[in-house]
Amino acid sequence: MKFEGNAHVYGKNTDTDVIIPAACLKLDDKKEMSKHAMEGIDPQFTKRVRDGDIVIGGENFGCGSSREQAPMVLSMKGIGAVVAPSYASIFKNNSVEGGYLYPLICKEEIKASMGDRIRIDTNKHILENLTNGSSYEIEPLTEKEEILLKNKGLIEYTKKLIRERK
Amino acid sequence: MAMTITEKILAYNSGLEEVKPGDLVSPEVSVFLTHDVLGPDVADIFNRDFKEEFGKVWNNKRIVVTPDHFIPCCDVNVANRMVRLRKFVKEQNIVNFYPEGIHGVCHEMLAQEGFDLPGYVIVGTDSHTDTGGAHGLFSTGIGTTAGACVAASGVYPLLEVPESMKLTYDNKLPEGSYSKDLILKTLGEIGAKGALKKAMEFEGKAIEYLSLDQRRTICNMAVEGSAINGIIAPDEKVEYYVANAPKHKGLPKPKYFKSDKDANYSKILEFDAGQIEPQVSVNYLPADAVPVTKVEGQKVDQAFIGSCTNGKWEDMETAADYLEGRKVSKGTRLIIIPATQKIWYRALEEGLLDTFYKAGASVSTPTCGPCLGGHMGVLGKGERCISSSNRNFRGRMGDSESFVYLASPATVAVSAVEGKIADPRRYL
């Protein structure tokens, strides 16, 4: 997979309540809900974000709630990949199970500012910051992520599982 | 091969002799839990992707639906989503549905209604599903897509077996300190990602002394250290629970597991519970816990006692002990929400509601409500709240410029009385 877009940079422990505040979960209109993405810490995010943009997060990205709406609203606003040194497990699972975005891991500290141009090639395991010329190694996808990609997501994988059992 | 209790439960429910950390397993789910926030989406995904081919959910007796977060419905959006969830419950003939009148906060409902049985694998569309681990079972939070897949198949596909870390607590908690203080202190030591992708296994004398009510508070907050699950080996208190809890048809039998003596742990941490002071979480992070003495005197506009962390019967008793004969400070609001209808009714019968009323507290019907800024106690700009709940993330209880402190029901109660953060040990 290849991604190229502008960076949106956040710190460690970026939690699900700032990605999408709980009060917004009352909304049934997902498009309306997505207008509140990142509202808690970055009210300008939804105005600035473009299709294909990339979120660069810190340690333990997505900590907190089970709400699948967290990766969903990022994806709806055009984010194709998040890159962070580590993720809270539920956020990472939700990202791939629902097929919303790629939660990529980069153990090195990425030097990037808001708006820097970022290019990622998951096959070559490389992230480049085209603005400042730095580049970083991205970890390979996990076994679970590879299985889900091959099976077109958790829903299709589960359907196969049920059919096999019958 | 020596295994931890978490590994044994996952192996058993996956039909395997043994598992090790990192293995991908697809365990049979004993009970699947959902609620009003993610439940309607689970229903939508099921109806869209599974209904046509498979018709029914995998087992209508092993799905528990407990509306709780925005209940009784707080606005039209929620009401319309609940219409869809009720329709799904009816269509699928889901037996264990707990609407208003017999409702409560989902994790406490699982315990109260007899679903938290040892040896189980419980998954729920709520991150605090880890709570039930206090009964010697594996439980964890999942999203809506996974939830719909579980509802359709009865397995949780592709779960990575977590490494276990062991947390041992010697001695006994001192007076004025509670299991909430024990878990906040632990989170303060290990940090917000201290248990990332791990099972937190709690043990030791201090844990053995605790009731199941208090133990559930500990496992409830394992996720605040980014753990997959929290777990405590089942003992005679769990056996007593199993014997006395309500019984349901069609559920798997309980099974008691404990870790092998030579099981592998990625980390072992030892605490002297006798030294654990009342704790308060600050700085928008549950794991940023400090002794109450560091923040004593900070003025609070609101105090909240409730939630899946501390809305249990014993929490109500603790709150009443500290509030008996006292008044909430002028200028501070105290909101008390028993976690379930049965707890609410017992509080009425045993005179606790009387104590709360006379103290000047506002008592509501069970709901998660204010814990997540949903309703029944949302904070405005610049307001400060001390809360017995589990998260103080920015904007968690309302405006992004409000501020939440987490503490035990005892610390919250005495803070409400003083109108500023106070040390419950001064009231012993």
Side-chain angles (χ1 to χ4, degrees):
Chain A
M1 251 335 250
K2 286 178 183 165
F3 303 92
E4 187 175 330
N6 294 339
H8 303 265
V9 186
Y10 304 106
K12 64 180 179 183
N13 300 319
T14 299
D15 63 74
T16 50
D17 274 283
V18 300
I19 298 172
I20 184 71
C24 299
L25 304 181
K26 296 170 187 168
L27 299 171
D28 213 16
D29 182 343
K30 304 283 188 263
K31 203 171 163 194
E32 199 53 43
M33 187 190 294
S34 72
K35 289 180 185 165
H36 300 274
M38 301 309 300
E39 197 175 69
I41 46 168
D42 185 5
Q44 299 305 313
F45 171 77
T46 51
K47 292 188 190 91
R48 206 174 57 231
V49 70
R50 297 285 174 267
D51 264 3
D53 276 4
I54 291 154
V55 165
I56 296 183
E59 294 270 13
N60 202 24
F61 190 89
C63 62
S65 153
S66 266
R67 64 190 70 154
E68 193 162 309
Q69 290 91 335
M72 186 194 78
V73 294
L74 292 180
S75 165
M76 286 181 75
K77 295 320 286 181
I79 297 294
V82 178
V83 190
S86 62
Y87 294 87
S89 301
I90 307 178
F91 179 89
K92 193 161 192 282
N93 281 334
N94 280 338
S95 299
V96 291
E97 288 171 354
Y100 300 108
L101 49 82
Y102 278 69
L104 301 171
I105 292 180
C106 175
K107 291 284 184 202
E108 301 169 74
E109 194 191 328
I110 297 171
K111 287 189 176 63
S113 308
M114 284 282 189
D116 281 5
R117 196 72 184 163
I118 304 291
R119 185 189 287 159
I120 298 171
D121 187 333
T122 59
N123 297 323
K124 291 183 179 157
H125 311 303
I126 283 180
L127 179 148
E128 295 168 274
N129 183 335
L130 304 176
T131 305
N132 66 18
S134 57
S135 70
Y136 309 87
E137 194 183 331
I138 298 281
E139 296 208 345
L141 299 175
T142 63
E143 187 188 347
K144 174 173 177 169
E145 287 159 358
E146 294 282 8
I147 293 173
L148 289 183
L149 278 174
K150 212 167 75 189
N151 287 278
K152 300 194 184 83
L154 191 69
I155 289 169
E156 291 307 316
Y157 180 85
T158 305
K159 283 184 184 171
K160 261 169 69 179
L161 210 69
I162 305 174
R163 289 182 201 123
E164 279 164 17
R165 292 171 138 219
K166 284 199 168 163
Chain B
M1 194 184 76
M3 288 192 284
T4 65
I5 180 172
T6 295
E7 290 154 7
K8 285 183 183 181
I9 294 172
L10 290 177
Y12 174 72
N13 289 285
S14 306
L16 299 168
E17 282 292 312
E18 58 178 45
V19 297
K20 56 181 189 314
D23 287 355
L24 282 183
V25 295
S26 297
E28 286 252 5
V29 170
S30 315
V31 168
F32 168 60
L33 169 75
T34 194
H35 51 47
D36 55 321
V37 187
L38 273 67
D41 299 323
V42 168
D44 290 349
I45 297 172
F46 181 89
N47 289 336
R48 185 191 69 197
D49 293 317
F50 294 103
K51 193 175 168 185
E52 196 184 344
E53 184 174 350
F54 306 108
K56 292 284 176 190
V57 294
W58 116 93
N59 188 322
N60 68 333
K61 297 184 183 68
R62 282 160 63 175
I63 296 177
V64 178
V65 180
T66 56
D68 56 1
H69 281 59
F70 304 132
I71 294 300
C73 292
C74 64
D75 67 20
V76 172
N77 287 309
V78 170
N80 285 332
R81 287 171 63 76
M82 274 307 298
V83 167
R84 281 215 307 286
L85 185 58
R86 283 197 203 90
K87 184 162 174 258
F88 180 73
V89 163
K90 203 170 169 192
E91 267 174 16
Q92 293 292 337
N93 192 24
I94 289 168
V95 181
N96 300 303
F97 176 52
Y98 297 92
E100 291 91 329
I102 52 169
H103 68 293
V105 176
C106 59
H107 311 299
E108 193 55 16
M109 288 299 286
L110 285 185
Q112 174 186 292
E113 297 301 323
F115 295 102
D116 275 344
L117 298 176
Y120 271 26
V121 168
I122 298 182
V123 295
T125 59
D126 189 286
S127 57
H128 292 108
T129 305
D130 57 357
T131 310
H135 292 208
L137 56 90
F138 175 89
S139 56
T140 196
I142 61 175
T144 32
T145 299
C149 292
V150 170
S153 70
V155 301
Y156 179 37
L158 303 173
L159 169 72
E160 192 178 317
V161 176
E163 286 185 328
S164 291
M165 65 191 285
K166 183 153 77 176
L167 302 113
T168 304
Y169 302 84
D170 209 1
N171 291 322
K172 196 177 179 182
L173 282 168
E175 274 205 86
S177 290
Y178 297 82
S179 65
K180 179 64 162 288
D181 302 301
L182 182 147
I183 187 62
L184 292 184
K185 170 76 182 166
T186 305
L187 292 167
E189 291 288 327
I190 67 170
K193 64 176 184 73
L196 192 70
K197 293 170 73 179
K198 289 186 173 50
M200 288 176 92
E201 187 176 325
F202 303 95
E203 58 137 58
K205 276 275 173 297
I207 304 289
E208 287 166 27
Y209 284 125
L210 298 175
S211 66
L212 294 189
D213 266 20
Q214 293 181 56
R215 291 180 195 177
R216 285 198 300 281
T217 299
I218 295 173
C219 289
N220 173 274
M221 291 194 73
V223 70
E224 310 313 335
S226 280
I228 300 288
N229 66 310
I231 197 160
I232 297 170
D235 59 2
E236 68 284 352
K237 287 177 185 167
V238 174
E239 284 171 29
Y240 180 86
Y241 167 84
V242 172
N244 292 284
K247 305 286 182 288
H248 301 270
K249 286 201 177 105
L251 290 185
K253 284 203 171 61
K255 197 163 164 65
Y256 295 79
F257 293 97
K258 62 177 185 182
S259 295
D260 292 322
K261 284 211 162 58
D262 50 348
N264 272 318
Y265 293 93
S266 65
K267 204 175 213 181
I268 298 175
L269 288 175
E270 288 170 7
F271 294 84
D272 178 358
Q275 300 297 316
I276 294 177
E277 296 178 81
Q279 303 285 310
V280 178
S281 295
V282 297
N283 294 332
Y284 303 117
L285 202 63
D288 202 341
V290 298
V292 64
T293 45
K294 291 246 161 130
V295 281
E296 214 178 346
Q298 169 63 54
K299 192 183 166 307
V300 288
D301 303 287
Q302 182 171 301
F304 168 51
I305 298 172
S307 84
C308 57
T309 314
N310 282 123
K312 296 186 284 296
W313 170 249
E314 286 186 23
D315 300 321
M316 295 299 120
E317 274 187 316
T318 302
D321 282 348
Y322 286 93
L323 290 170
E324 179 66 46
R326 300 194 171 101
K327 285 266 186 210
V328 172
S329 171
K330 222 175 168 182
T332 299
R333 319 178 283 271
L334 172 59
I335 295 165
I336 302 180
I337 307 186
T340 72
Q341 281 282 84
K342 283 185 184 165
I343 297 171
W344 182 94
Y345 186 63
R346 190 172 168 192
L348 170 72
E349 292 249 285
E350 298 197 16
L352 271 58
L353 295 193
D354 194 63
T355 304
F356 296 159
Y357 170 77
K358 286 177 180 155
S362 159
V363 181
S364 134
T365 189
T367 180
C368 307
C371 167
L372 72 162
H375 65 156
M376 304 298 272
V378 178
L379 300 177
K381 203 181 280 289
E383 286 198 308
R384 288 173 186 263
C385 176
I386 185 159
S387 172
S388 76
S389 54
N390 44 50
R391 286 190 178 134
N392 58 341
F393 296 149
R394 191 183 289 274
R396 171 73 179 181
M397 291 184 73
D399 194 280
S400 62
E401 288 175 39
S402 58
F403 199 88
V404 180
Y405 302 93
L406 303 179
S408 76
T411 303
V412 175
V414 298
S415 300
V417 167
E418 295 194 14
K420 51 191 198 241
I421 298 178
D423 189 337
R425 292 172 296 185
R426 286 195 277 105
Y427 290 77
L428 294 172

